[in-house]
Amino acid sequence: MIAKVSTAALLGIDGFTIELEVDLARSGMPAFIMVGLAEGAVREAKERVFSALKNTGFKLPPSRITVNIAPADIRKEGSAYDLPLALGLLAGAEVIEQEKLSGLYMAGELSLSGELKPVSGVLPLALRAREAGAKGMIVPVANGREAAVVQGLPVYACRTLAQVVRFVMGEEDVEPVNCDVQGLWNERERHWLDFSEVKGQERAKRAIEIACAGNHNLLFIGPPGSGKTMLSSRIPTVLPSLTFDEALEVTKIYSVAGKLPPEQPLVVTRPFRSPHHTISDAGLIGGGQYPRPGELSLAHRGVLFLDELPEFKKHVLEVLRQPLEEGRVTISRAAVSLEYPGDVMLVAAMNPCPCGYLGDEKHHCSCTPIQVQRYRSRLSGPLLDRIDLHVEVPAVPYRDLKQEQGSISSATMRERIDAARAVQRGRYEGLHFSSNSELSGKWLERFCPLTEGEHAFLEGAVQRLGMSARAFTRVLRISRTIADLAGDETLTVTHLAEAINYRGLDRQSQE
């Protein structure tokens, strides 16, 4: 008898339907054959499933078993096929009626004793099951709330294979998992950090406000202890709240990467990722033998913070260039090409020189000009051009440190940022982008018109600083955001001058 069981597999961060076909032939020598481009963990499912069936009390008749995982031309990986394979074998042996499995999607790993263990990527699998019109989905208990985030799909969480069989056969009732999505959503505004805790650094806070208002990339340059990391870690507190669709998108990435905590089935706050400078290129943008999302994708819709930027391997930083422009990562392999989201706000920090004290009035810099040049040359021009704001962060003077609290709170900054973002959404309504950082080509000319006087001012700055065409574009984008924060419809020399002032490395290169 041929039995069919529905499940889903991952392609990038999206799910697609898999039909697992099991044929138990009583004629011929007993054997087990699995076809359908199954990788190691899927092929090993045979040993786990047969042990789980035996220890649960089920005995299969001697048969020639053929398992086809369709579509057969796409590689299957992971341990989520254990549960559908077990039920397919039981249906093929006529322990379970085929009709009982019709319309049910399922995923889960089996222990040798028959317990269900959690698997990665359940959220996109549940989304696919709902799209396919499934009447329900069976998952391990640990994945229940994650799958239940998908409204309109009954999710049944079970602890053991025996419980799944009893439920399918109608011998035991299992209530659908209820996930309080609204309650999770209400948690999204909670932040334990605040900009009011940062004393001094008003210019850096202004740069952060501009960066967040226009979704611009940002680089801090300053000596050790000046507060670069402290400032950066508070940026998520002033970013606009995630929409529900954005939250689902981010949660899918964390689910596929296996980084979604059991107690947090939905990511409701913007991510902040801070990888160490020893990270590999695959760790940063994703990849590997079996591709997985990297830190760039885990920071999707949030902040990717790279501390000690020049300490990262140069080839690792260079792989960021295209994803920063396109907002996504494409990983091509011989068998498949995957695409992961990577729309991030890049925030980086670096010292001005190897010792860190170049330009610091209170410390002597021991670096030679050649050492400084070699240190800064670790960052290529094309990469720096993709970072909109270059901001000097000097050491905080004592008069600022003795203040009881900072001068501006996250709530105040966020209110102004939300207002500027609302202006941009209205301006770009109906277009394929929604923030100033995405302005380019004809849209840049349309939304950033300049008078002859402003053209003359900008031409002088470009020639004096030797700006590239990309840096020139950045200045216009930043100016547009500064004008939006001020409530001005047109750009002025004042907006342009402040924007140029945030291109610190361009100025230093001409000194």
Side-chain angles (χ1 to χ4, degrees):
M1 174 182 175
I2 297 178
K4 296 182 180 180
V5 183
S6 296
T7 183
L10 296 170
L11 190 62
I13 65 166
D14 296 314
F16 64 96
T17 297
I18 291 289
E19 189 171 66
L20 195 143
E21 300 173 314
V22 180
D23 178 28
L24 272 70
R26 304 296 174 88
S27 60
M29 294 293 291
F32 184 92
I33 303 168
M34 180 179 287
V35 296
L37 280 183
E39 58 87 29
V42 182
R43 292 194 301 271
E44 292 170 355
K46 168 194 169 185
E47 310 301 331
R48 292 191 296 272
V49 169
F50 277 110
S51 293
L53 289 171
K54 180 189 69 173
N55 293 321
T56 307
F58 297 106
K59 186 176 181 180
L60 300 177
S63 311
R64 181 179 178 84
I65 301 171
T66 304
V67 178
N68 178 40
I69 310 177
D73 60 341
I74 299 179
R75 188 180 66 189
K76 322 313 185 296
E77 60 182 59
S79 57
Y81 299 95
D82 290 9
L83 180 59
L85 176 58
L87 292 187
L89 289 170
L90 292 175
E94 300 183 357
V95 176
I96 299 176
E97 297 177 14
Q98 174 66 54
E99 293 74 17
K100 301 284 188 181
L101 300 177
S102 179
L104 283 175
Y105 274 60
M106 56 196 71
E109 178 183 334
L110 285 172
S111 71
L112 299 185
S113 63
E115 293 181 359
L116 281 178
K117 295 184 176 181
V119 293
S120 301
V122 164
L123 178 61
L125 302 188
L127 288 168
R128 176 58 196 151
R130 184 180 66 179
E131 292 170 5
K135 68 180 183 182
M137 185 172 185
I138 302 174
V139 297
V141 168
N143 291 126
R145 294 183 68 213
E146 177 187 345
V149 168
V150 180
Q151 303 295 297
L153 174 72
V155 174
Y156 304 100
C158 297
R159 298 187 180 277
T160 64
L161 174 60
Q163 185 182 14
V164 174
V165 173
R166 291 195 299 270
F167 167 67
V168 170
M169 296 179 67
E171 297 174 358
E172 179 178 336
D173 288 333
V174 177
E175 292 296 322
V177 179
N178 179 36
C179 180
D180 184 8
V181 176
Q182 188 58 48
L184 293 170
W185 198 242
N186 292 336
E187 296 288 323
R188 71 188 187 279
E189 301 297 339
R190 291 191 177 185
H191 292 287
W192 306 111
L193 302 175
D194 197 280
F195 272 105
S196 62
E197 301 163 342
V198 181
K199 301 175 181 178
Q201 301 298 10
E202 301 306 318
R203 184 169 180 271
K205 293 177 186 177
R206 168 65 173 171
I208 289 172
E209 190 172 310
I210 295 170
C212 294
N215 197 31
H216 302 288
N217 298 326
L218 174 64
L219 171 64
F220 288 128
I221 308 163
S226 58
K228 303 185 294 294
T229 302
M230 186 179 187
L231 288 162
S232 301
S233 63
R234 283 159 175 75
I235 289 177
T237 68
V238 298
L239 288 172
S241 300
L242 285 171
T243 65
F244 185 73
D245 288 341
E246 288 175 336
L248 271 182
E249 194 175 10
V250 174
T251 306
K252 283 167 64 178
I253 299 171
Y254 277 74
S255 177
V256 170
K259 295 184 178 295
L260 192 64
E263 69 280 0
Q264 186 187 3
L266 184 67
V267 178
V268 293
T269 57
R270 292 192 181 270
F272 181 88
R273 303 293 299 183
S274 180
H276 193 262
H277 61 77
T278 57
I279 193 171
S280 66
D281 51 357
L284 186 58
I285 69 166
Q289 182 178 3
Y290 302 114
R292 286 289 183 269
E295 290 290 332
L296 179 73
S297 295
L298 291 171
H300 181 60
R301 303 294 185 187
V303 176
L304 177 65
F305 177 54
L306 303 182
D307 200 5
E308 304 295 343
L309 188 63
E311 300 301 326
F312 285 78
K313 297 181 182 68
K314 191 166 185 175
H315 75 275
V316 172
L317 292 178
E318 292 305 300
V319 299
L320 281 174
R321 286 161 54 175
Q322 185 175 353
L324 287 177
E325 287 288 324
E326 299 181 354
R328 64 182 184 274
V329 178
T330 302
I331 299 172
S332 297
R333 295 290 184 267
V336 68
S337 180
L338 303 177
E339 187 174 285
Y340 293 120
D343 185 4
V344 303
M345 177 181 169
L346 176 65
V347 180
M350 61 177 286
N351 295 331
C353 65
C355 77
Y357 295 110
L358 179 66
D360 192 333
E361 298 178 355
K362 297 182 179 180
H363 296 84
H364 172 69
C365 175
S366 59
C367 304
T368 65
I370 293 178
Q371 288 175 320
V372 175
Q373 182 181 7
R374 187 181 299 119
Y375 178 75
R376 293 186 178 178
S377 67
R378 298 177 187 175
L379 307 178
S380 68
L383 177 64
L384 290 175
D385 280 347
R386 285 169 170 79
I387 301 178
D388 300 354
L389 293 92
H390 310 155
V391 183
E392 292 90 351
V393 184
V396 182
Y398 180 74
R399 66 177 179 274
D400 291 338
L401 289 176
K402 69 180 182 180
Q403 295 176 4
E404 292 187 3
Q405 62 179 8
S407 59
I408 187 171
S409 68
S410 292
T412 302
M413 293 175 65
R414 185 171 182 171
E415 184 178 347
R416 297 200 290 248
I417 289 167
D418 285 344
R421 287 282 186 114
V423 169
Q424 292 168 56
R425 285 194 299 272
R427 181 191 300 131
Y428 306 133
E429 186 176 2
L431 301 179
H432 64 279
F433 57 91
S434 60
S435 65
N436 291 333
S437 65
E438 300 171 270
L439 280 173
S440 62
K442 65 179 182 180
W443 304 115
L444 195 67
E445 297 177 2
R446 175 178 173 181
F447 296 115
C448 300
L450 301 177
T451 64
E452 287 298 323
E454 290 153 1
H455 272 299
F457 172 80
L458 199 51
E459 181 181 4
V462 168
Q463 292 178 351
R464 186 168 61 255
L465 300 178
M467 289 183 181
S468 68
R470 188 176 280 113
F472 166 76
T473 299
R474 260 51 181 182
V475 168
L476 288 181
R477 292 174 178 175
I478 297 167
S479 301
R480 179 68 270 169
T481 302
I482 293 171
D484 290 342
L485 283 167
D488 298 332
E489 294 186 5
T490 58
L491 303 187
T492 67
V493 170
T494 302
H495 303 142
L496 294 171
E498 184 177 2
I500 292 171
N501 197 39
Y502 290 121
R503 297 290 301 180
L505 292 182
D506 292 331
R507 299 198 312 274
Q508 292 175 13
S509 65
Q510 298 300 314
E511 293 177 356

